[in-house]
Amino acid sequence: MIHNIDPHEFHNEWKPRHPAKDDIVFGFDRNNVILRSDQTFFHYGDLDSSHEYVYLFSIDDTGFFLTDIPENDRAISLNINVARTYEPRWLGFACAVAWHLYSWRRVNRFCGVCGSQMINDGKERAMRCPNCGNIVYPRINPAVIVGILSKDNKILITQYAIRHGEYRHDALVAGYCEIGESIEDCIHREVKEETGLEVTNLRFYKSQPWPFSESILFGVFCDESGGNLIKIDRKELRSAVWKARDDAFDVPGNASLTAEMIQVFRDGKVSCGE
Ligand SMILES: [Zn+2]
């Protein structure tokens, strides 16, 4: 998965510092990341030191910073989805997390209470209003990925409706947690809404940060509780079909929790009724 970057170590503890020559600097423009002409990321040494550099996090001893890359230096601009498959993977992960922080900062330039311009808090990873003291932390949306297993040990594979953008491959039931709702309630509601099915025997598999949707994903397997026809929500899904372990699947790459959960199923490591 994208956040498994062994042997590298991700350090998100708040220890801001000034950038050094070999530290990496990300610049974004809405959903795009700005790259050098050879499709590598900028180092601090490449850029004018008079810009503002915002400390983000470190991996091993490399610091990662955010800046507004000047127009003249913008060689290549690619959709942030490039980070899903970027090699080396630890830099792809760093790019995705940096974009998550960029997106949070971009929509919090002004205080939602009094309208003043927000500043970096400095003491923690937060934006602070210098006028009224309002503090805004990075937003992380909780969401679920649900592997539903049938009594004859098939898995429910969905395909998102076109409005969800370019991901047209096999997926699992997924959705965001609503206000006032537990993860368990969210799973039952999303499965019911998208497919009409009831499920039982929820068992947590793994979680995953998924910066592309500013999310933390909770991966859960569960069992269909029987007798229900699939009635899909056409606004959410194009299709929902049961697939056996040796059926053909369309799952590109191994960056996502969804891909890993489907692989775990195909390898026979998870079964209904366990
Ligand atoms: Zn304010």
Side-chain angles (χ1 to χ4, degrees):
M1 292 191 280
I2 193 168
H3 63 294
N4 298 134
I5 57 168
D6 286 351
H8 300 284
E9 274 190 42
F10 178 61
H11 293 285
N12 62 2
E13 58 271 27
W14 186 240
K15 289 185 180 170
R17 59 174 171 82
H18 292 292
K21 185 167 75 65
D22 292 331
D23 283 342
I24 288 178
V25 177
F26 290 113
F28 301 98
D29 183 1
R30 293 174 182 258
N31 291 333
N32 292 329
V33 55
I34 314 296
L35 296 159
R36 301 194 288 200
S37 53
D38 59 357
Q39 298 209 10
T40 58
F41 298 114
F42 288 90
H43 291 99
Y44 177 66
D46 301 331
L47 297 164
D48 185 338
S49 61
S50 65
H51 297 304
E52 183 194 20
Y53 290 88
V54 176
Y55 175 78
L56 300 175
F57 50 81
S58 297
I59 295 179
D60 305 329
D61 295 326
T62 303
F64 291 82
F65 292 80
L66 185 66
T67 198
D68 188 13
I69 308 270
E71 291 283 346
N72 291 343
D73 292 327
R74 295 185 176 195
I76 297 179
S77 171
L78 293 175
N79 186 280
I80 185 59
N81 283 324
V82 71
R84 294 186 189 205
T85 52
Y86 192 89
E87 294 289 345
R89 174 169 283 188
W90 67 285
L91 288 180
F93 173 65
C95 177
V97 176
W99 180 83
H100 187 166
L101 289 165
Y102 157 81
S103 299
W104 159 65
R105 292 174 58 86
R106 188 167 82 86
V107 299
N108 286 286
R109 292 185 300 134
F110 296 96
C111 176
V113 178
C114 74
S116 301
Q117 192 155 1
M118 300 288 272
I119 60 172
N120 300 316
D121 176 72
K123 294 197 218 60
E124 50 188 346
R125 188 178 284 104
M127 302 286 285
R128 181 166 55 83
C129 174
N131 183 49
C132 75
N134 177 30
I135 301 246
V136 180
Y137 296 98
R139 187 176 81 173
I140 304 172
N141 306 313
V144 297
I145 303 285
V146 192
I148 308 170
L149 304 170
S150 67
K151 290 191 172 58
D152 56 351
N153 274 316
K154 292 180 175 171
I155 194 165
L156 191 71
I157 293 294
T158 65
Q159 294 200 318
Y160 298 147
I162 300 300
R163 74 176 178 88
H164 284 281
E166 58 200 73
Y167 192 85
R168 300 185 178 204
H169 309 283
D170 286 354
L172 300 172
V173 167
Y176 292 105
C177 202
E178 292 281 359
I179 199 88
E181 183 174 66
S182 68
I183 293 294
E184 293 87 338
D185 290 343
C186 174
I187 289 165
H188 288 291
R189 178 183 52 76
E190 284 290 349
V191 170
K192 184 80 181 172
E193 282 177 3
E194 292 193 4
T195 69
L197 296 176
E198 306 273 355
V199 291
T200 184
N201 191 22
L202 274 50
R203 55 253 194 223
F204 176 71
Y205 174 63
K206 285 181 185 175
S207 67
Q208 177 186 40
W210 193 244
F212 308 98
S213 55
E214 303 170 51
S215 299
I216 174 76
L217 305 177
F218 294 76
V220 171
F221 285 105
C222 58
D223 302 335
E224 184 219 345
S225 53
N228 304 297
L229 289 170
I230 299 172
K231 286 180 283 189
I232 69 171
D233 178 354
R234 292 277 169 198
K235 292 198 294 296
E236 295 288 331
L237 301 180
R238 268 188 298 151
S239 67
V241 295
W242 295 107
K243 283 195 179 184
R245 299 191 203 276
D246 54 0
D247 281 345
F249 288 79
D250 171 22
V251 184
N254 60 0
S256 71
L257 178 59
T258 296
E260 183 169 306
M261 288 175 69
I262 291 173
Q263 192 59 46
V264 162
F265 166 75
R266 299 184 74 186
D267 292 342
K269 294 177 182 164
V270 61
S271 297
C272 181
E274 283 182 328

